[in-house]
Coordinates of all heavy atoms in Angstrom, one line a residue:
F238 N 15.4 8.8 4.1 CA 14.9 8.2 2.9 C 13.5 9.0 2.6 O 13.4 9.4 1.4 CB 14.5 6.8 3.3 CG 13.8 6.0 2.2 CD1 14.4 5.8 0.9 CD2 12.6 5.5 2.4 CE1 13.9 5.1 0.0 CE2 12.0 4.7 1.4 CZ 12.6 4.6 0.2
A239 N 12.7 9.4 3.6 CA 11.5 10.1 3.3 C 11.9 11.5 2.8 O 11.1 12.0 1.8 CB 10.7 10.3 4.6
G240 N 12.8 12.1 3.2 CA 13.3 13.4 2.8 C 13.7 13.4 1.3 O 13.4 14.2 0.6
F241 N 14.4 12.2 1.0 CA 14.8 12.0 -0.5 C 13.6 11.8 -1.3 O 13.5 12.4 -2.5 CB 15.7 10.7 -0.5 CG 15.9 10.2 -1.9 CD1 16.8 10.8 -2.8 CD2 15.3 9.1 -2.4 CE1 17.0 10.3 -4.1 CE2 15.4 8.6 -3.6 CZ 16.3 9.2 -4.5
L242 N 12.6 11.1 -0.7 CA 11.4 10.9 -1.6 C 10.7 12.1 -1.8 O 10.1 12.4 -2.9 CB 10.4 9.8 -0.8 CG 10.9 8.4 -0.8 CD1 10.0 7.6 0.2 CD2 11.0 7.7 -2.1
R243 N 10.6 12.9 -0.8 CA 9.7 14.2 -0.8 C 10.5 15.4 -1.5 O 9.9 16.3 -1.8 CB 9.4 14.5 0.7 CG 8.4 13.8 1.5 CD 8.5 14.2 2.9 NE 8.4 15.5 3.2 CZ 7.4 16.4 2.9 NH1 6.3 15.9 2.5 NH2 7.5 17.7 3.3
K244 N 11.9 15.2 -1.6 CA 12.7 16.3 -2.0 C 12.5 17.5 -1.2 O 12.7 18.7 -1.4 CB 12.4 16.7 -3.4 CG 12.6 15.7 -4.4 CD 12.6 16.1 -5.7 CE 12.6 15.0 -6.8 NZ 11.9 15.3 -8.1
E245 N 12.3 17.3 0.3 CA 12.1 18.2 1.2 C 12.3 17.6 2.7 O 12.0 16.5 2.8 CB 10.6 18.6 1.3 CG 10.5 20.1 0.9 CD 8.9 20.5 1.0 OE1 8.3 20.2 0.1 OE2 8.7 21.1 2.0
P246 N 12.9 18.4 3.6 CA 13.3 17.6 5.0 C 12.0 17.3 5.6 O 11.0 18.0 5.5 CB 14.0 18.6 5.6 CG 14.4 19.8 4.8 CD 13.4 19.6 3.5
V247 N 12.1 16.2 6.4 CA 11.1 15.8 7.3 C 11.2 16.6 8.6 O 12.2 16.7 9.2 CB 11.1 14.4 7.7 CG1 9.9 14.0 8.6 CG2 11.0 13.6 6.4
K248 N 10.2 17.3 9.1 CA 10.4 18.1 10.4 C 10.1 17.1 11.6 O 9.1 16.3 11.6 CB 9.4 19.2 10.3 CG 9.9 20.4 9.6 CD 9.0 21.6 9.8 CE 8.3 21.8 8.5 NZ 7.0 22.7 8.8
L249 N 11.0 17.2 12.6 CA 10.9 16.4 13.8 C 10.8 17.2 15.0 O 11.3 18.3 15.1 CB 12.2 15.4 13.9 CG 12.5 14.6 12.7 CD1 13.8 13.8 13.1 CD2 11.4 13.5 12.5
V250 N 10.2 16.7 16.0 CA 10.0 17.3 17.2 C 10.3 16.3 18.4 O 10.0 15.1 18.2 CB 8.6 18.0 17.4 CG1 7.5 16.9 17.6 CG2 8.5 18.9 18.5
K251 N 10.9 16.9 19.4 CA 11.2 15.9 20.5 C 9.9 15.5 21.3 O 9.0 16.4 21.5 CB 12.1 16.7 21.6 CG 12.9 15.8 22.4 CD 14.1 16.5 23.1 CE 15.3 16.4 22.3 NZ 16.5 17.0 23.1
C252 N 9.8 14.3 21.8 CA 8.6 13.9 22.5 C 8.6 14.7 23.8 O 9.5 15.2 24.3 CB 8.7 12.3 22.8 SG 8.4 11.4 21.4
V253 N 7.4 14.5 24.5 CA 7.2 15.3 25.8 C 7.8 14.5 27.0 O 8.1 15.2 28.1 CB 5.9 15.9 25.9 CG1 5.4 16.9 24.9 CG2 4.7 14.8 26.1
T254 N 7.8 13.2 26.9 CA 8.2 12.4 28.0 C 9.5 11.6 28.0 O 9.9 11.0 28.7 CB 7.2 11.4 28.6 OG1 6.7 10.7 27.5 CG2 5.8 12.2 29.2
H255 N 10.1 11.7 26.7 CA 11.5 11.2 26.5 C 12.0 12.0 25.4 O 11.3 12.7 24.7 CB 11.6 9.6 26.4 CG 10.6 8.9 25.5 ND1 10.5 9.5 24.0 CD2 9.7 7.9 25.6 CE1 9.7 8.8 23.5 NE2 9.2 7.9 24.4
D256 N 13.3 11.6 25.0 CA 13.9 12.5 23.9 C 14.0 11.9 22.5 O 14.7 12.3 21.8 CB 15.4 12.8 24.5 CG 16.2 11.7 24.6 OD1 15.7 10.5 24.4 OD2 17.6 11.7 24.8
L257 N 13.0 10.8 22.3 CA 13.0 10.5 20.9 C 12.4 11.6 20.1 O 11.6 12.3 20.6 CB 12.1 9.3 20.7 CG 12.6 7.8 21.1 CD1 11.6 6.9 20.8 CD2 13.9 7.6 20.4
E258 N 12.8 11.6 18.8 CA 12.2 12.6 17.9 C 11.2 12.1 17.0 O 11.6 10.9 16.5 CB 13.3 13.4 17.1 CG 14.1 14.3 18.0 CD 15.1 15.1 17.2 OE1 15.8 14.5 16.4 OE2 15.4 16.3 17.5
V259 N 10.1 12.6 16.7 CA 9.1 12.0 15.9 C 8.7 13.1 14.8 O 8.8 14.4 15.0 CB 7.9 11.7 16.8 CG1 8.2 10.4 17.7 CG2 7.3 12.8 17.7
P260 N 8.0 12.7 13.8 CA 7.5 13.7 12.8 C 6.5 14.7 13.3 O 5.5 14.3 13.9 CB 6.7 12.7 11.8 CG 7.3 11.3 11.9 CD 7.6 11.3 13.3
A261 N 7.0 15.9 13.2 CA 6.1 17.0 13.7 C 4.7 17.1 13.2 O 3.8 17.6 13.8 CB 6.8 18.4 13.5
E262 N 4.6 16.7 11.9 CA 3.3 16.8 11.3 C 2.4 15.5 11.5 O 1.4 15.4 10.9 CB 3.6 16.9 9.8 CG 4.3 18.1 9.2 CD 3.3 19.3 9.4 OE1 2.0 19.3 9.5 OE2 3.8 20.5 9.3
A263 N 2.9 14.6 12.4 CA 2.1 13.5 12.8 C 0.6 13.9 13.3 O 0.4 15.1 13.7 CB 2.6 12.5 13.8
E264 N -0.4 13.1 13.2 CA -1.8 13.4 13.7 C -1.7 13.0 15.3 O -2.1 13.8 16.1 CB -2.7 12.5 13.1 CG -2.9 12.7 11.6 CD -3.6 14.2 11.3 OE1 -4.6 14.5 11.9 OE2 -2.9 15.0 10.4
I265 N -1.1 11.8 15.6 CA -1.3 11.4 17.0 C 0.2 10.8 17.3 O 0.8 10.0 16.5 CB -2.3 10.4 17.1 CG1 -3.7 10.9 16.7 CG2 -2.4 9.7 18.5 CD1 -4.8 10.0 16.5
V266 N 0.6 11.1 18.6 CA 1.9 10.4 19.1 C 1.6 9.7 20.4 O 1.0 10.3 21.2 CB 2.9 11.3 19.3 CG1 4.2 10.8 19.7 CG2 3.2 12.4 18.0
I267 N 1.9 8.4 20.5 CA 1.8 7.7 21.6 C 3.2 7.3 22.2 O 4.0 6.6 21.6 CB 1.0 6.2 21.5 CG1 -0.3 6.6 20.8 CG2 0.8 5.5 22.8 CD1 -1.1 5.4 20.4
E268 N 3.6 7.9 23.4 CA 4.9 7.8 24.0 C 4.9 6.8 25.2 O 3.9 6.7 25.8 CB 5.4 9.1 24.5 CG 5.4 10.4 23.5 CD 5.9 11.6 24.1 OE1 6.3 11.6 25.2 OE2 5.6 12.6 23.5
G269 N 6.1 6.2 25.3 CA 6.2 5.3 26.4 C 7.6 4.6 26.4 O 8.5 5.0 25.8
F270 N 7.7 3.6 27.3 CA 8.9 2.8 27.6 C 8.6 1.3 27.5 O 7.6 0.9 28.1 CB 9.5 3.2 28.8 CG 10.1 4.6 28.9 CD1 9.2 5.6 29.3 CD2 11.4 4.9 28.6 CE1 9.7 6.9 29.4 CE2 11.9 6.2 28.7 CZ 11.0 7.2 29.1
A271 N 9.4 0.5 26.8 CA 9.3 -0.8 26.9 C 10.4 -1.3 27.9 O 11.7 -1.0 27.7 CB 9.5 -1.5 25.5
D272 N 10.0 -2.1 28.7 CA 10.9 -2.4 29.9 C 11.4 -3.9 29.7 O 10.4 -4.7 29.9 CB 10.2 -2.1 31.3 CG 11.2 -2.5 32.4 OD1 12.3 -2.9 32.2 OD2 10.7 -2.4 33.5
P273 N 12.6 -4.1 29.3 CA 13.0 -5.5 29.1 C 13.1 -6.4 30.4 O 13.3 -7.6 30.3 CB 14.5 -5.3 28.6 CG 14.6 -3.9 28.2 CD 13.7 -3.2 29.1
E274 N 13.0 -5.7 31.6 CA 12.9 -6.5 32.8 C 11.6 -7.0 33.0 O 11.4 -8.0 33.8 CB 13.3 -5.6 34.0 CG 14.6 -5.0 33.9 CD 15.7 -6.2 34.0 OE1 15.5 -7.2 34.7 OE2 16.7 -6.1 33.2
E275 N 10.6 -6.5 32.3 CA 9.1 -6.9 32.6 C 8.9 -8.3 31.7 O 9.5 -8.3 30.6 CB 8.1 -5.9 32.1 CG 8.0 -4.7 33.0 CD 7.3 -5.1 34.2 OE1 6.3 -5.9 34.3 OE2 7.8 -4.6 35.4
P276 N 8.1 -9.1 32.2 CA 7.8 -10.2 31.5 C 7.1 -9.9 30.1 O 6.3 -8.9 30.1 CB 6.8 -11.1 32.3 CG 6.5 -10.3 33.4 CD 7.4 -9.2 33.4
L277 N 7.3 -10.7 29.0 CA 6.5 -10.4 27.7 C 5.0 -10.7 28.0 O 4.7 -11.4 28.9 CB 7.1 -11.3 26.6 CG 8.7 -11.0 26.4 CD1 9.1 -12.0 25.2 CD2 9.0 -9.6 25.8
T278 N 4.3 -10.0 27.1 CA 2.8 -10.2 27.3 C 2.4 -11.0 26.0 O 2.8 -10.8 24.8 CB 2.2 -8.9 27.4 OG1 3.0 -8.0 28.3 CG2 0.8 -8.8 27.7
L279 N 1.3 -11.7 26.3 CA 0.6 -12.4 25.2 C -0.1 -11.4 24.2 O -1.0 -10.6 24.6 CB -0.4 -13.4 25.7 CG -0.9 -14.6 24.7 CD1 0.4 -15.3 24.4 CD2 -1.9 -15.4 25.3
E280 N 0.3 -11.5 22.9 CA -0.2 -10.6 21.9 C -0.9 -11.3 20.8 O -0.5 -12.5 20.5 CB 1.0 -9.7 21.4 CG 0.6 -8.5 20.6 CD 0.5 -8.8 19.1 OE1 0.6 -9.9 18.5 OE2 0.4 -7.7 18.3
G281 N -2.0 -10.9 20.2 CA -2.7 -11.7 19.2 C -3.8 -12.4 19.8 O -4.0 -12.2 21.0
P282 N -4.4 -13.3 19.0 CA -4.2 -13.6 17.6 C -4.6 -12.4 16.8 O -5.4 -11.5 17.3 CB -5.1 -14.9 17.3 CG -5.9 -15.0 18.6 CD -5.4 -14.3 19.6
F283 N -4.3 -12.4 15.6 CA -4.4 -11.3 14.7 C -4.8 -11.8 13.2 O -3.9 -12.6 12.7 CB -3.4 -10.3 14.8 CG -3.6 -9.0 13.9 CD1 -4.5 -8.1 14.2 CD2 -2.7 -8.9 12.9 CE1 -4.6 -7.1 13.4 CE2 -2.8 -7.6 12.0 CZ -3.8 -6.8 12.3
G284 N -5.8 -11.3 12.7 CA -6.0 -11.7 11.1 C -5.1 -10.8 10.3 O -5.1 -9.7 10.3
D285 N -4.1 -11.7 9.7 CA -2.8 -11.0 9.2 C -2.8 -11.0 7.6 O -3.7 -11.4 7.0 CB -1.6 -11.9 9.8 CG -0.7 -11.0 10.3 OD1 -0.2 -10.1 9.7 OD2 -0.2 -11.2 11.5
H286 N -1.7 -10.5 7.2 CA -1.4 -10.3 5.7 C -1.6 -11.6 5.0 O -1.9 -11.6 3.8 CB 0.1 -10.0 5.6 CG 0.5 -8.6 6.1 ND1 0.4 -7.5 5.5 CD2 1.1 -8.4 7.2 CE1 0.8 -6.5 6.3 NE2 1.3 -6.9 7.4
T287 N -1.4 -12.8 5.6 CA -1.3 -14.0 4.9 C -2.8 -14.4 4.5 O -3.1 -15.3 3.8 CB -0.9 -15.1 5.9 OG1 -1.6 -15.1 7.2 CG2 0.7 -14.9 6.2
G288 N -3.7 -13.8 5.1 CA -5.2 -14.2 5.0 C -5.5 -15.2 6.0 O -6.7 -15.8 6.0
F289 N -4.7 -15.6 6.9 CA -4.9 -16.4 8.1 C -4.6 -15.7 9.4 O -4.0 -14.7 9.3 CB -4.0 -17.6 8.0 CG -4.2 -18.6 6.8 CD1 -3.8 -18.3 5.5 CD2 -4.9 -19.7 7.0 CE1 -4.0 -19.1 4.5 CE2 -5.2 -20.6 6.1 CZ -4.7 -20.4 4.7
Y290 N -5.2 -16.2 10.5 CA -4.8 -15.6 11.7 C -3.5 -16.0 12.1 O -3.1 -17.2 11.9 CB -5.7 -16.1 12.8 CG -7.3 -15.5 12.7 CD1 -8.2 -16.3 12.1 CD2 -7.3 -14.3 13.3 CE1 -9.4 -15.7 12.0 CE2 -8.6 -13.8 13.1 CZ -9.7 -14.5 12.6 OH -10.9 -13.9 12.5
S291 N -2.6 -15.0 12.6 CA -1.4 -15.3 13.2 C -1.5 -15.6 14.7 O -2.4 -14.9 15.3 CB -0.1 -14.3 13.0 OG -0.6 -13.0 13.4
L292 N -0.9 -16.6 15.0 CA -1.2 -17.2 16.5 C -0.7 -16.1 17.6 O 0.1 -15.3 17.3 CB -0.5 -18.4 16.8 CG -0.7 -19.5 15.8 CD1 0.1 -20.8 16.1 CD2 -2.2 -19.9 15.8
A293 N -1.4 -16.1 18.7 CA -1.0 -15.3 19.8 C 0.5 -15.8 20.2 O 0.8 -16.9 20.1 CB -1.9 -15.6 21.0
D294 N 1.2 -14.7 20.6 CA 2.7 -15.1 21.0 C 3.1 -13.9 22.0 O 2.4 -13.0 22.2 CB 3.6 -15.0 19.8 CG 4.8 -15.8 20.0 OD1 5.1 -16.2 21.2 OD2 5.5 -16.1 19.1
Y295 N 4.3 -14.1 22.6 CA 4.7 -13.1 23.5 C 5.6 -12.0 23.0 O 6.6 -12.2 22.2 CB 5.4 -13.8 24.6 CG 4.6 -14.8 25.5 CD1 4.2 -16.1 25.2 CD2 3.8 -14.2 26.5 CE1 3.3 -16.8 25.8 CE2 2.8 -14.9 27.3 CZ 2.5 -16.2 26.8 OH 1.7 -16.9 27.7

Side-chain angles (χ1 to χ4, degrees):
F238 179 60
F241 167 77
L242 292 175
R243 290 167 48 70
K244 299 188 188 159
E245 243 182 281
V247 179
K248 281 188 249 158
L249 300 177
V250 70
K251 203 168 268 184
C252 286
V253 297
T254 53
H255 52 53
D256 64 354
L257 280 184
E258 289 184 318
V259 291
E262 293 287 343
E264 298 291 308
I265 300 168
V266 184
I267 302 169
E268 304 179 8
F270 292 86
D272 183 354
E274 295 299 315
E275 286 291 319
L277 298 176
T278 311
L279 199 61
E280 196 266 6
F283 180 66
D285 228 312
H286 299 273
T287 55
F289 292 80
Y290 286 97
S291 50
L292 305 178
D294 204 350
Y295 289 90

